[in-house]
Amino acid sequence: MSSFAPMSTRSTPPRRAEILGIPLAVSDYEEVLDWMEAMIAEDRRGYVTAAAVNLVMKAQEEPATREATLGATLAVPDGQPLVWALKALGYETATRVYGPDLMAMFCERAAKNGTPMYLYGGRDAPARELLERRLRERYPGIQLVGGASPPFRTLTAEEDNRLLADIDASGAKVVWVGTGQPLQEQWMHRVRPRLWTPLLVGVGAAFDFHAGLVSQAPAWMQRNGLEWVYRLSREPRRLWPRYARYNPRFVAGFARQYARHRRGGRY
């Protein structure tokens, strides 16, 4: 954290700009990481989402997803197309803040400063335990103080209460949430008032990537906005309906926003 920022403003989120009605951070990794640490240091509570195009578009159609996404303390542009959209609107300093990389960078800091963390999500318990092992190997000294892999169904009230009690009892300062968009945003929005943990951070597929269960796209594909092509080639049955539906709609929706922006209207 910069020593020049007044303590009262360190946990003020980075500035944001709207893409299709969703406020996204115009920032970079260091500013977001510093802000996260300030939230913890000041014992403030919030939740973060690494927003992909998929989430932005679902928020256009699903009221619950829109409410949860707008309720986030900070939404960072996880997808390169969102960064291009921000730049097209004149936000030249916008950069991608990719969920898996944000998690990795924070874990590196946390291993040094002792920030306790909790893992919520994953395909199942063995996959989450594999993730824990990989993180401990990669970041010696990291404090992973608990974890849970909820079933793919609505939890009963008793299960819900037990899970939230376990998170609070763990003493975690950050809960990494990897249950996929938009379920993780809806969960964070719902439970945020009931948890003492300062930060809940939704990072989508980061659990699978860091556990080594799914490979990430090469850096050049990520830089050129082609990560979706790589992922589609690996999981066509699951991802084809998503990309076929939302990618063209995003292009059309942002084209309208950009046209209004050029005319000087609201966007």
Side-chain angles (χ1 to χ4, degrees):
M1 277 182 290
S2 170
S3 60
F4 298 101
M7 177 60 89
S8 61
T9 63
R10 285 179 178 170
S11 61
T12 300
R15 72 169 177 151
R16 286 158 286 185
E18 290 188 2
I19 299 296
L20 300 185
I22 303 301
L24 299 174
V26 180
S27 187
D28 57 26
Y29 287 108
E30 289 304 311
E31 185 179 14
V32 173
L33 290 166
D34 287 348
W35 170 78
M36 290 172 65
E37 291 188 334
M39 289 284 288
I40 294 168
E42 297 176 25
D43 199 27
R44 296 179 182 268
R45 287 161 181 72
Y47 67 95
V48 180
T49 175
V53 166
N54 172 59
L55 180 66
V56 170
M57 298 313 297
K58 280 184 176 290
Q60 312 303 306
E61 302 176 346
E62 302 173 358
T65 297
R66 184 174 185 82
E67 180 180 5
T69 306
L70 291 177
T73 316
L74 188 66
V76 297
D78 177 89
Q80 188 62 40
L82 297 175
V83 177
W84 291 336
L86 288 167
K87 288 181 178 292
L89 295 179
Y91 298 97
E92 291 297 328
T93 59
T95 62
R96 187 185 191 196
V97 180
Y98 182 44
D101 286 351
L102 181 67
M103 182 178 179
M105 292 178 185
F106 191 90
C107 285
E108 184 174 5
R109 289 192 181 196
K112 297 174 182 176
N113 62 32
T115 302
M117 299 179 293
Y118 191 103
L119 301 175
Y120 178 84
R123 301 184 179 198
D124 49 31
R128 193 197 73 250
E129 290 163 2
L130 175 62
L131 171 62
E132 290 182 13
R133 291 198 299 274
R134 294 286 167 83
L135 292 177
R136 293 185 192 280
E137 292 167 0
R138 197 171 303 150
Y139 307 106
I142 194 171
Q143 289 194 42
L144 301 175
V145 294
S149 298
F152 291 96
R153 60 169 171 77
T154 302
L155 299 181
T156 66
E158 181 180 355
E159 289 173 326
D160 203 36
N161 291 336
R162 188 184 312 125
L163 171 62
L164 298 183
D166 184 61
I167 293 174
D168 270 341
S170 73
K173 298 297 185 181
V174 176
V175 177
W176 296 103
V177 187
T179 55
Q181 296 178 346
L183 294 180
Q184 65 192 21
E185 285 70 28
Q186 293 175 15
W187 182 82
M188 291 189 293
H189 182 64
R190 180 175 63 82
V191 306
R192 177 63 284 180
R194 301 171 59 189
L195 285 172
W196 287 103
T197 302
L199 278 179
L200 315 177
V201 188
V203 288
F207 280 32
D208 281 352
F209 292 150
H210 290 315
L213 296 173
V214 175
S215 61
Q216 296 190 62
W220 70 267
M221 296 188 79
Q222 294 188 39
R223 287 194 303 270
N224 290 282
L226 296 174
E227 184 178 9
W228 69 273
V229 177
Y230 183 87
R231 293 191 64 190
L232 180 62
S233 70
R234 265 54 182 178
E235 300 180 88
R237 182 173 298 180
R238 184 175 75 87
L239 296 178
W240 171 250
R242 174 196 301 180
Y243 292 141
R245 178 179 178 84
Y246 290 123
N247 286 14
R249 293 187 180 197
F250 173 75
V251 172
F254 181 71
R256 292 191 293 270
Q257 176 178 347
Y258 183 70
R260 292 193 296 272
H261 169 70
R262 293 281 291 178
R263 292 195 299 266
R266 290 179 61 83
Y267 50 84

